[in-house]
Amino acid sequence: NAHRVRAAKKMLLEEPERPVLHIGLAAGFNSKASFNRNFKALAGQTPAKYRAAPIDSGDSENSGDSA
């Protein structure tokens, strides 16, 4: 499920006009309930809230850099 949630996160941000349900189905979930439940368990928020949240410029990849 983690792989599907990662794919869904990418689609949620790259395809803002695409409905959340369509993204969940495209990522391999069988229903909106299953998508929302698994997404929230792994991401800590619903897909809709994830899409609406301001984008953090570091996403932990470069957050440890001290230049």
Side-chain angles (χ1 to χ4, degrees), residues 5 29 31-43 45 47:
V5 169
F29 292 95
S31 68
K32 186 175 182 180
S34 175
F35 177 44
N36 281 339
R37 182 176 56 252
N38 284 284
F39 192 99
K40 188 169 184 179
L42 293 169
Q45 58 189 339

Side-chain angles (χ1 to χ4, degrees), residues 17-58:
E17 299 301 318
R18 190 172 184 186
V20 172
L21 175 59
H22 292 191
I23 289 174
L25 297 174
F29 292 95
N30 293 322
S31 68
K32 186 175 182 180
S34 175
F35 177 44
N36 281 339
R37 182 176 56 252
N38 284 284
F39 192 99
K40 188 169 184 179
L42 293 169
Q45 58 189 339
T46 65
K49 285 185 180 179
Y50 176 83
R51 176 184 265 174
I55 297 173
D56 187 5
S57 62

